[in-house]
Each structure stands twice: as C-alpha cells, then as structure tokens.
Amino acid sequence: MNGFTVSGHLRPDTRVRVTPFPSSSRPFVSLRIEGDDIEIALLTSSGSAHALRDLAAAATEAADVLDALTADAAEVTGRG
C-alpha cells in the first residue's frame, strides 16, 4: 500500500461505488467512498482481493461494535 493517511466521518448518506476496470493484462477495481466533503478511492489490482475482504471484515466488526455502543448508551440514558 502507498502511504497516505486520510480522516473523514461516515454519515448515513455516504455513498459507496465499485467500478471494475477489466483488462486482459492488468485488471483492477476502484472502490469509492463518497461524502459531501471527501472522496476516497481505493484501487485494488488482481491478486489483492484478500485485502478488500480484510477491509470488509474490519468494517463489519466496526459496525457491530458501533451497534453495541449505541445500544449500551441507550440503556444507560434510559432511552431505547
């Protein structure tokens, strides 16, 4: 991976777009995460599908933790 750090907030209206670029010699996929003020593009070439799967697994884990934190906060404040 090329080194670059970006920080942004995902919001309910964040858009995600996958665009394939087929090629017989160097196929790749663009994964774009688009918000009002930021666009992040991840380019993955052949042989790096595992990196996308790892990213998807981490995103799923983060979503599960966020759900748990939200549920815990609602119980603490008496809302739910």
Side-chain angles (χ1 to χ4, degrees):
M1 179 160 114
N2 296 334
F4 187 74
T5 302
V6 168
S7 177
H9 291 276
L10 294 178
R11 299 174 191 251
D13 62 345
T14 298
R15 298 168 305 280
V16 179
R17 184 171 38 133
V18 175
T19 306
F21 292 88
S23 168
S24 59
S25 60
R26 297 193 70 169
F28 69 98
V29 171
S30 167
L31 169 61
R32 293 185 179 272
I33 304 164
E34 302 169 333
D36 290 337
D37 300 324
I38 191 168
E39 180 175 324
I40 300 169
L42 302 174
L43 305 177
T44 56
S45 59
S46 180
S48 58
H50 66 281
L52 281 178
R53 288 188 182 94
D54 290 347
L55 177 62
T60 298
E61 180 181 351
D64 291 344
V65 170
L66 184 60
D67 286 343
L69 290 172
T70 302
D72 291 344
E75 288 177 10
V76 170
T77 60
R79 297 183 304 221

Coordinates of all heavy atoms in Angstrom, one line a residue:
M1 N 0.9 -1.2 0.0 CA 0.0 0.0 0.0 C 0.9 1.2 0.0 O 1.9 1.3 0.7 CB -0.9 0.0 1.2 CG -1.8 1.2 1.3 SD -3.2 0.8 2.4 CE -2.9 2.0 3.7
N2 N 0.5 2.2 -0.7 CA 1.2 3.5 -0.7 C 0.8 4.3 0.5 O -0.4 4.2 0.9 CB 0.9 4.3 -2.0 CG 1.3 3.7 -3.2 OD1 2.3 2.9 -3.2 ND2 0.7 3.9 -4.3
G3 N 1.7 4.9 1.2 CA 1.4 5.6 2.4 C 0.7 6.9 2.3 O 1.2 7.8 1.6
F4 N -0.5 7.0 2.9 CA -1.2 8.2 2.9 C -2.3 8.1 4.0 O -3.0 7.1 4.0 CB -1.9 8.5 1.5 CG -2.6 9.8 1.4 CD1 -1.8 11.0 1.3 CD2 -3.9 9.9 1.4 CE1 -2.4 12.2 1.2 CE2 -4.6 11.1 1.3 CZ -3.8 12.3 1.2
T5 N -2.5 9.1 4.8 CA -3.5 9.0 5.8 C -4.6 10.0 5.6 O -4.3 11.2 5.3 CB -2.8 9.3 7.2 OG1 -1.8 8.3 7.4 CG2 -3.9 9.2 8.3
V6 N -5.8 9.5 5.7 CA -7.0 10.4 5.5 C -8.0 10.2 6.6 O -8.1 9.0 7.1 CB -7.7 10.1 4.1 CG1 -9.0 10.7 4.0 CG2 -6.8 10.4 3.0
S7 N -8.6 11.2 7.1 CA -9.6 11.1 8.1 C -10.9 11.7 7.6 O -10.9 12.8 7.0 CB -9.1 11.8 9.4 OG -10.1 11.7 10.4
G8 N -12.0 11.0 7.8 CA -13.3 11.5 7.4 C -14.4 10.8 8.3 O -14.1 9.8 8.8
H9 N -15.5 11.4 8.3 CA -16.6 10.9 9.0 C -17.6 10.2 8.1 O -18.1 10.9 7.1 CB -17.3 11.9 9.9 CG -16.5 12.4 11.0 ND1 -16.5 11.8 12.2 CD2 -15.7 13.5 11.1 CE1 -15.6 12.4 13.0 NE2 -15.1 13.5 12.4
L10 N -18.0 9.0 8.3 CA -19.0 8.4 7.5 C -20.3 8.8 8.1 O -20.6 8.9 9.3 CB -18.9 6.8 7.6 CG -17.7 6.2 7.0 CD1 -17.8 4.7 7.3 CD2 -17.6 6.5 5.6
R11 N -21.2 9.2 7.2 CA -22.6 9.6 7.6 C -23.6 8.7 7.0 O -23.3 7.9 6.1 CB -22.8 11.0 7.1 CG -21.8 12.0 7.7 CD -21.9 13.4 7.1 NE -20.8 14.2 7.5 CZ -21.0 15.2 8.3 NH1 -22.1 15.5 8.8 NH2 -19.9 16.0 8.7
P12 N -24.8 8.8 7.4 CA -25.9 7.9 6.8 C -26.0 8.0 5.3 O -26.4 7.1 4.7 CB -27.2 8.3 7.6 CG -26.7 8.9 8.9 CD -25.4 9.5 8.5
D13 N -25.7 9.2 4.8 CA -25.9 9.4 3.3 C -24.5 9.1 2.5 O -24.5 9.5 1.4 CB -26.4 10.8 3.0 CG -25.5 11.9 3.5 OD1 -24.5 11.6 4.3 OD2 -25.7 13.0 3.1
T14 N -23.5 8.6 3.2 CA -22.3 8.3 2.5 C -22.6 7.3 1.4 O -23.3 6.3 1.5 CB -21.2 7.7 3.5 OG1 -21.0 8.7 4.5 CG2 -20.0 7.3 2.8
R15 N -22.0 7.5 0.2 CA -22.2 6.7 -1.0 C -20.9 5.8 -1.2 O -19.8 6.2 -1.0 CB -22.4 7.5 -2.2 CG -23.7 8.4 -2.1 CD -23.9 9.4 -3.1 NE -22.8 10.4 -3.3 CZ -22.6 11.4 -2.5 NH1 -23.4 11.7 -1.5 NH2 -21.5 12.3 -2.7
V16 N -21.2 4.6 -1.6 CA -20.1 3.6 -1.9 C -20.3 3.2 -3.4 O -21.4 2.8 -3.8 CB -20.1 2.4 -1.0 CG1 -19.0 1.5 -1.3 CG2 -20.0 2.9 0.5
R17 N -19.3 3.2 -4.1 CA -19.4 2.8 -5.6 C -18.2 1.9 -5.9 O -17.1 2.2 -5.6 CB -19.4 4.1 -6.4 CG -19.6 3.8 -7.9 CD -19.8 5.1 -8.7 NE -19.0 6.2 -8.2 CZ -18.2 7.0 -9.0 NH1 -18.3 6.8 -10.3 NH2 -17.5 8.0 -8.5
V18 N -18.5 0.8 -6.6 CA -17.5 -0.1 -7.1 C -17.5 -0.1 -8.6 O -18.6 -0.2 -9.2 CB -17.8 -1.6 -6.6 CG1 -16.8 -2.5 -7.2 CG2 -17.7 -1.7 -5.1
T19 N -16.3 0.1 -9.2 CA -16.2 0.2 -10.6 C -15.1 -0.8 -11.1 O -14.0 -0.6 -10.7 CB -15.8 1.6 -11.1 OG1 -16.8 2.6 -10.5 CG2 -15.8 1.7 -12.6
P20 N -15.5 -1.7 -11.9 CA -14.5 -2.7 -12.4 C -13.8 -2.1 -13.7 O -14.4 -1.4 -14.4 CB -15.3 -3.9 -12.8 CG -16.7 -3.4 -13.1 CD -16.9 -2.2 -12.2
F21 N -12.5 -2.4 -13.8 CA -11.8 -2.0 -15.0 C -11.1 -3.3 -15.5 O -10.0 -3.6 -15.2 CB -10.7 -1.0 -14.6 CG -11.2 0.4 -14.2 CD1 -11.6 0.6 -12.9 CD2 -11.4 1.3 -15.1 CE1 -12.1 1.8 -12.5 CE2 -12.0 2.6 -14.8 CZ -12.3 2.8 -13.5
P22 N -11.9 -4.0 -16.3 CA -11.4 -5.3 -16.9 C -10.3 -5.0 -17.9 O -10.3 -4.0 -18.6 CB -12.6 -5.9 -17.5 CG -13.6 -4.8 -17.7 CD -13.2 -3.7 -16.8
S23 N -9.3 -5.9 -17.8 CA -8.2 -5.8 -18.8 C -7.6 -7.2 -18.8 O -7.5 -7.9 -17.8 CB -7.2 -4.8 -18.3 OG -6.0 -4.9 -19.1
S24 N -7.1 -7.6 -20.0 CA -6.5 -8.9 -20.1 C -5.1 -8.9 -19.4 O -4.6 -10.0 -19.1 CB -6.4 -9.4 -21.6 OG -5.7 -8.4 -22.3
S25 N -4.5 -7.7 -19.3 CA -3.2 -7.7 -18.8 C -3.1 -7.2 -17.3 O -2.4 -7.7 -16.5 CB -2.3 -6.8 -19.6 OG -2.8 -5.5 -19.7
R26 N -3.9 -6.2 -16.9 CA -3.9 -5.6 -15.6 C -5.3 -5.2 -15.1 O -5.5 -4.0 -15.0 CB -2.9 -4.4 -15.6 CG -1.5 -4.9 -15.9 CD -0.5 -3.8 -15.6 NE -0.5 -3.7 -14.1 CZ 0.4 -3.0 -13.5 NH1 1.3 -2.4 -14.2 NH2 0.5 -3.0 -12.2
P27 N -6.1 -6.1 -14.8 CA -7.5 -5.7 -14.3 C -7.4 -5.2 -12.9 O -6.5 -5.5 -12.1 CB -8.2 -7.1 -14.3 CG -7.2 -8.1 -14.1 CD -6.0 -7.6 -14.8
F28 N -8.3 -4.2 -12.6 CA -8.4 -3.7 -11.3 C -9.8 -3.2 -11.0 O -10.6 -3.1 -11.9 CB -7.3 -2.6 -11.0 CG -7.6 -1.3 -11.8 CD1 -8.2 -0.2 -11.1 CD2 -7.2 -1.1 -13.1 CE1 -8.4 1.0 -11.8 CE2 -7.4 0.1 -13.8 CZ -8.0 1.1 -13.1
V29 N -10.0 -2.9 -9.7 CA -11.3 -2.4 -9.2 C -11.1 -1.2 -8.5 O -10.1 -1.0 -7.7 CB -12.0 -3.5 -8.4 CG1 -13.2 -3.0 -7.7 CG2 -12.3 -4.7 -9.2
S30 N -12.0 -0.2 -8.6 CA -12.0 1.0 -7.9 C -13.1 0.9 -6.9 O -14.3 0.7 -7.3 CB -12.2 2.2 -8.8 OG -12.5 3.4 -8.0
L31 N -12.8 1.1 -5.6 CA -13.8 1.2 -4.6 C -13.8 2.7 -4.1 O -12.8 3.2 -3.5 CB -13.5 0.3 -3.4 CG -14.3 0.4 -2.1 CD1 -15.8 0.2 -2.4 CD2 -13.8 -0.5 -1.0
R32 N -14.9 3.4 -4.3 CA -15.0 4.8 -3.9 C -16.0 5.0 -2.8 O -17.1 4.4 -2.8 CB -15.4 5.7 -5.1 CG -14.4 5.7 -6.2 CD -14.9 6.7 -7.3 NE -13.9 6.7 -8.3 CZ -12.8 7.5 -8.3 NH1 -12.6 8.4 -7.3 NH2 -11.9 7.5 -9.3
I33 N -15.6 5.7 -1.8 CA -16.4 6.1 -0.6 C -16.6 7.6 -0.8 O -15.6 8.4 -0.7 CB -15.7 5.7 0.7 CG1 -15.4 4.2 0.7 CG2 -16.6 6.1 1.9 CD1 -14.4 3.8 1.7
E34 N -17.8 8.1 -1.0 CA -18.1 9.5 -1.3 C -19.0 10.1 -0.3 O -20.1 9.6 0.0 CB -18.7 9.5 -2.7 CG -17.8 8.9 -3.8 CD -18.6 8.8 -5.1 OE1 -19.8 8.7 -5.1 OE2 -17.9 8.7 -6.2
G35 N -18.6 11.2 0.2 CA -19.4 12.1 1.1 C -19.5 13.5 0.5 O -19.0 13.7 -0.6
D36 N -20.1 14.4 1.3 CA -20.2 15.8 0.8 C -18.8 16.4 0.6 O -18.6 17.2 -0.3 CB -21.1 16.6 1.7 CG -22.5 16.1 1.7 OD1 -22.9 15.5 0.7 OD2 -23.2 16.3 2.7
D37 N -17.9 16.2 1.5 CA -16.7 16.9 1.5 C -15.5 16.1 1.2 O -14.3 16.6 1.2 CB -16.5 17.6 2.9 CG -17.6 18.5 3.2 OD1 -18.1 19.2 2.3 OD2 -18.0 18.6 4.4
I38 N -15.6 14.8 1.0 CA -14.5 13.9 0.8 C -14.8 12.8 -0.2 O -16.0 12.3 -0.2 CB -14.0 13.4 2.1 CG1 -12.6 12.7 2.0 CG2 -15.0 12.5 2.8 CD1 -11.9 12.4 3.3
E39 N -13.8 12.3 -0.9 CA -14.0 11.1 -1.7 C -12.7 10.3 -1.6 O -11.6 10.9 -1.7 CB -14.2 11.5 -3.2 CG -14.3 10.2 -4.0 CD -14.7 10.5 -5.5 OE1 -15.4 11.5 -5.7 OE2 -14.2 9.8 -6.4
I40 N -12.8 9.1 -1.2 CA -11.7 8.2 -1.0 C -11.8 7.1 -2.1 O -12.9 6.5 -2.2 CB -11.7 7.6 0.4 CG1 -11.6 8.6 1.5 CG2 -10.5 6.6 0.5 CD1 -11.8 8.1 2.8
A41 N -10.8 6.9 -2.9 CA -10.8 5.9 -3.9 C -9.7 4.9 -3.5 O -8.5 5.2 -3.3 CB -10.5 6.5 -5.3
L42 N -10.1 3.6 -3.4 CA -9.1 2.5 -3.2 C -9.1 1.7 -4.5 O -10.1 1.3 -5.0 CB -9.6 1.6 -2.0 CG -9.8 2.3 -0.7 CD1 -10.4 1.3 0.3 CD2 -8.5 2.9 -0.2
L43 N -7.9 1.6 -5.0 CA -7.7 0.8 -6.2 C -7.0 -0.5 -5.9 O -6.0 -0.5 -5.2 CB -6.8 1.6 -7.2 CG -7.3 3.0 -7.6 CD1 -6.3 3.7 -8.5 CD2 -8.6 3.0 -8.2
T44 N -7.6 -1.6 -6.3 CA -7.1 -2.9 -6.0 C -6.9 -3.7 -7.3 O -7.8 -3.7 -8.1 CB -8.0 -3.7 -5.1 OG1 -9.3 -3.8 -5.6 CG2 -8.1 -3.0 -3.7
S45 N -5.7 -4.2 -7.4 CA -5.4 -5.0 -8.6 C -5.5 -6.5 -8.4 O -5.7 -6.9 -7.3 CB -4.0 -4.6 -9.1 OG -3.1 -4.9 -8.1
S46 N -5.4 -7.2 -9.5 CA -5.5 -8.6 -9.4 C -4.5 -9.2 -8.3 O -3.4 -8.7 -8.2 CB -5.2 -9.2 -10.8 OG -5.2 -10.6 -10.8
G47 N -5.0 -10.1 -7.5 CA -4.2 -10.7 -6.5 C -4.3 -10.0 -5.1 O -3.7 -10.5 -4.2
S48 N -5.1 -9.0 -5.0 CA -5.2 -8.3 -3.8 C -6.7 -8.3 -3.2 O -7.1 -7.5 -2.4 CB -4.7 -6.8 -3.9 OG -5.4 -6.1 -4.8
A49 N -7.5 -9.3 -3.7 CA -8.8 -9.4 -3.2 C -8.9 -9.7 -1.7 O -9.8 -9.2 -1.1 CB -9.6 -10.5 -4.0
H50 N -7.9 -10.3 -1.2 CA -7.9 -10.6 0.2 C -7.8 -9.3 1.0 O -8.4 -9.2 2.1 CB -6.7 -11.5 0.6 CG -5.3 -10.9 0.4 ND1 -4.8 -10.8 -0.9 CD2 -4.5 -10.3 1.2 CE1 -3.6 -10.1 -0.8 NE2 -3.4 -9.8 0.5
A51 N -7.1 -8.3 0.5 CA -7.1 -7.0 1.2 C -8.5 -6.4 1.3 O -8.8 -5.8 2.4 CB -6.1 -6.1 0.5
L52 N -9.3 -6.5 0.2 CA -10.6 -6.0 0.3 C -11.5 -6.8 1.3 O -12.3 -6.2 2.0 CB -11.3 -6.0 -1.1 CG -10.9 -4.9 -2.1 CD1 -11.5 -5.1 -3.4 CD2 -11.3 -3.5 -1.5
R53 N -11.3 -8.1 1.3 CA -12.0 -8.9 2.2 C -11.7 -8.6 3.7 O -12.5 -8.6 4.5 CB -11.8 -10.4 1.9 CG -12.5 -10.8 0.6 CD -12.4 -12.4 0.4 NE -13.1 -12.7 -0.8 CZ -12.4 -12.8 -2.0 NH1 -11.1 -12.7 -2.0 NH2 -13.0 -13.1 -3.1
D54 N -10.4 -8.3 3.9 CA -10.0 -7.9 5.3 C -10.6 -6.6 5.6 O -11.0 -6.4 6.8 CB -8.5 -7.8 5.3 CG -7.8 -9.2 5.3 OD1 -8.4 -10.2 5.4 OD2 -6.5 -9.2 5.1
L55 N -10.6 -5.7 4.7 CA -11.3 -4.4 4.9 C -12.8 -4.5 5.2 O -13.3 -3.9 6.1 CB -11.1 -3.4 3.7 CG -11.7 -2.1 3.8 CD1 -11.2 -1.3 4.9 CD2 -11.5 -1.4 2.5
A56 N -13.4 -5.4 4.4 CA -14.8 -5.6 4.6 C -15.1 -6.3 6.0 O -16.0 -5.9 6.7 CB -15.4 -6.5 3.5
A57 N -14.3 -7.2 6.4 CA -14.4 -7.8 7.7 C -14.2 -6.8 8.9 O -15.0 -6.8 9.8 CB -13.4 -9.0 7.9
A58 N -13.2 -5.9 8.7 CA -13.0 -4.9 9.7 C -14.1 -3.9 9.8 O -14.5 -3.5 10.9 CB -11.7 -4.2 9.4
A59 N -14.7 -3.6 8.6 CA -15.8 -2.6 8.6 C -17.0 -3.3 9.3 O -17.8 -2.6 10.0 CB -16.1 -2.2 7.2
T60 N -17.3 -4.6 9.0 CA -18.4 -5.3 9.7 C -18.2 -5.3 11.2 O -19.1 -5.1 11.9 CB -18.5 -6.7 9.1 OG1 -18.8 -6.6 7.7 CG2 -19.6 -7.5 9.8
E61 N -17.0 -5.6 11.6 CA -16.7 -5.6 13.0 C -16.9 -4.2 13.6 O -17.5 -4.1 14.7 CB -15.2 -6.1 13.3 CG -14.9 -6.1 14.7 CD -13.4 -6.5 15.0 OE1 -12.7 -6.9 14.0 OE2 -13.0 -6.4 16.2
A62 N -16.5 -3.2 13.0 CA -16.7 -1.8 13.5 C -18.1 -1.5 13.6 O -18.6 -0.9 14.5 CB -15.9 -0.8 12.6
A63 N -18.9 -1.9 12.6 CA -20.4 -1.7 12.6 C -21.0 -2.4 13.8 O -21.9 -1.8 14.5 CB -21.0 -2.1 11.3
D64 N -20.6 -3.6 14.0 CA -21.1 -4.4 15.2 C -20.8 -3.7 16.5 O -21.7 -3.6 17.4 CB -20.6 -5.8 15.2 CG -21.2 -6.7 14.0 OD1 -22.2 -6.3 13.4 OD2 -20.6 -7.7 13.7
V65 N -19.6 -3.2 16.6 CA -19.2 -2.5 17.8 C -20.0 -1.2 18.0 O -20.4 -0.9 19.1 CB -17.6 -2.2 17.8 CG1 -17.3 -1.3 19.0 CG2 -16.9 -3.6 17.9
L66 N -20.2 -0.5 16.9 CA -21.0 0.7 17.0 C -22.4 0.4 17.4 O -23.0 1.2 18.2 CB -20.9 1.4 15.6 CG -21.6 2.8 15.5 CD1 -21.0 3.8 16.5 CD2 -21.6 3.3 14.1
D67 N -23.0 -0.6 16.8 CA -24.3 -1.0 17.3 C -24.4 -1.3 18.8 O -25.3 -0.9 19.5 CB -24.8 -2.3 16.5 CG -25.2 -2.0 15.1 OD1 -25.4 -0.8 14.7 OD2 -25.2 -3.0 14.3
A68 N -23.4 -2.0 19.3 CA -23.3 -2.4 20.7 C -23.1 -1.1 21.5 O -23.8 -0.9 22.6 CB -22.2 -3.3 21.0
L69 N -22.3 -0.2 21.1 CA -22.1 1.1 21.8 C -23.3 1.9 21.9 O -23.7 2.5 22.9 CB -20.9 1.9 21.2 CG -19.5 1.3 21.3 CD1 -18.6 2.2 20.5 CD2 -19.1 1.3 22.8
T70 N -24.1 1.9 20.7 CA -25.3 2.7 20.7 C -26.4 2.1 21.6 O -27.1 2.8 22.3 CB -25.8 2.7 19.2 OG1 -24.8 3.3 18.4 CG2 -27.1 3.5 19.1
A71 N -26.4 0.7 21.6 CA -27.4 0.0 22.5 C -27.0 0.3 23.9 O -27.9 0.5 24.8 CB -27.4 -1.5 22.2
D72 N -25.7 0.2 24.3 CA -25.3 0.5 25.6 C -25.6 1.9 26.1 O -26.1 2.1 27.2 CB -23.8 0.2 25.8 CG -23.4 -1.3 25.7 OD1 -24.3 -2.1 25.8 OD2 -22.2 -1.6 25.5
A73 N -25.4 2.9 25.2 CA -25.7 4.3 25.5 C -27.2 4.5 25.7 O -27.6 5.2 26.6 CB -25.2 5.2 24.4
A74 N -28.0 3.8 24.9 CA -29.5 3.9 25.1 C -29.9 3.4 26.4 O -30.8 3.9 27.1 CB -30.2 3.3 24.0
E75 N -29.3 2.2 26.9 CA -29.6 1.6 28.1 C -29.2 2.5 29.3 O -29.9 2.7 30.3 CB -29.0 0.3 28.3 CG -29.6 -0.8 27.4 CD -28.9 -2.1 27.5 OE1 -28.0 -2.3 28.4 OE2 -29.1 -3.0 26.6
V76 N -28.1 3.1 29.2 CA -27.5 4.0 30.3 C -28.4 5.2 30.5 O -28.7 5.6 31.6 CB -26.1 4.4 30.0 CG1 -25.6 5.5 30.9 CG2 -25.2 3.2 30.1
T77 N -28.9 5.8 29.4 CA -29.7 7.0 29.4 C -31.2 6.7 29.6 O -32.0 7.6 29.7 CB -29.5 7.9 28.2 OG1 -29.9 7.2 27.0 CG2 -28.0 8.3 28.1
G78 N -31.6 5.4 29.5 CA -32.9 5.1 29.7 C -33.8 5.2 28.4 O -35.0 5.1 28.4
R79 N -33.1 5.5 27.3 CA -33.8 5.5 26.0 C -33.6 4.3 25.2 O -32.5 3.6 25.4 CB -33.3 6.7 25.2 CG -33.6 8.0 25.9 CD -33.1 9.2 25.0 NE -31.7 9.0 24.7 CZ -30.8 10.0 24.7 NH1 -31.2 11.2 24.9 NH2 -29.6 9.8 24.3
G80 N -34.4 4.0 24.3 CA -34.2 2.8 23.5 C -35.1 2.5 22.5 O -36.0 3.0 22.1

